[in-house]
Amino acid sequence: MDESRIADPSSALRRSDRSLPTRLSRAVSVVLHPLVMPLYVILLLVAGPTQLSYFPASVKFYLLWVTVLYTAVIPLLSVGLLRSVGRISSLAIDDRRERILPLAIGIVCYLLCAATVARIPSAMIVRKFMLAGACCELFCLAVTFYWKISLHLAAQGAAAALLVLLTFGNAGNLTGALAVAVLAAGALASARLWLGCHTIRQVAAGYVGGFIVATLAVLLL
């Protein structure tokens, strides 16, 4: 049985109420949406205690706008187009079967972003992160054919993996950022469960899967 159908019988009612926990859960889900997580990571890399912080301002701006274009703007426009032609029923894309095409588009966007960033050889970690993003989207796509997995938590797991690798690889002192990322993942998991979007298994599978896939992608690609 598709677990997404039995995640929470009261989810529809809970998502429509205006209680403080529900509003906070919605806000956390938006602020930590998979479409904006790459931007947070790149902002941390170019402004935090990493080697990329020494790049000229023009290069930092280039990395930021390329990231926003390929990982947020194009996917968001694609989802809007799919909604307008009736391929998806909601911008939230809660139906597992409707996620297949948006995920495929996301994979292409991450690969295009990696190819574009490759023009800056010294920004190899950004290219690796984009390739890791493509691999995570591919992982989620493969799982989505059979089961609903949390895309929100997969993005959190991928971001945490990058922070762990950078910290233990002596590429920057990001222990504080890692602690914040772990707390954010906990808050996001609680929000998704409260809204009835996922079960505990779906949330855990998303985070662990995103972490493992991103780690392997950064190390091997």
Side-chain angles (χ1 to χ4, degrees):
M1 180 181 294
D2 190 340
E3 197 170 339
S4 63
R5 297 180 181 273
I6 58 174
D8 187 347
S10 63
S11 62
L13 291 175
R14 184 172 293 171
R15 287 184 229 178
S16 63
D17 71 36
R18 297 183 61 81
S19 65
L20 180 59
T22 299
R23 284 185 289 174
L24 286 176
S25 295
R26 290 199 201 103
V28 170
S29 295
V30 171
V31 172
L32 298 179
H33 195 278
L35 291 180
V36 297
M37 285 307 300
L39 175 60
Y40 294 156
V41 172
I42 300 303
L43 277 172
L44 178 63
L45 291 179
V46 300
T50 69
Q51 297 176 353
L52 272 66
S53 63
Y54 297 104
F55 282 9
S58 58
V59 176
K60 293 180 180 179
F61 180 75
Y62 176 80
L63 293 174
L64 287 171
W65 81 257
V66 166
T67 298
V68 171
L69 175 66
Y70 284 110
T71 66
V73 175
I74 294 179
L76 187 59
L77 291 175
S78 300
V79 169
L81 179 60
L82 292 173
R83 175 70 177 86
S84 66
V85 298
R87 295 299 299 272
I88 59 176
S89 57
S90 168
L91 294 179
I93 322 179
D94 286 326
D95 190 319
R96 171 180 61 83
R97 292 162 295 185
E98 293 181 353
R99 293 182 168 193
I100 294 174
L101 191 52
L103 282 171
I105 293 173
I107 294 170
V108 174
C109 287
Y110 271 107
L111 291 176
L112 290 174
C113 190
T116 304
V117 172
R119 296 173 55 186
I120 308 176
S122 54
M124 180 182 298
I125 186 59
V126 178
R127 181 179 65 85
K128 282 178 171 286
F129 176 63
M130 295 306 165
L131 290 175
C135 291
C136 286
E137 294 259 310
L138 181 60
F139 162 72
C140 290
L141 176 61
V143 174
T144 297
F145 279 106
Y146 308 99
W147 192 57
K148 185 179 180 182
I149 192 171
S150 175
L151 305 182
H152 280 74
L153 271 297
Q156 288 291 321
L162 181 68
L163 294 177
V164 168
L165 292 174
L166 289 174
T167 299
F168 290 96
N170 296 319
N173 183 14
L174 298 171
T175 52
L178 179 58
V180 172
V182 172
L183 292 175
L188 182 58
S190 299
R192 304 306 287 169
L193 291 172
W194 174 263
L195 293 173
C197 298
H198 294 287
T199 64
I200 293 178
R201 289 177 58 194
Q202 293 165 352
V203 165
Y207 190 81
V208 174
F211 188 95
I212 294 175
V213 171
T215 298
L216 293 175
V218 172
L219 293 177
L220 301 178
L221 295 181

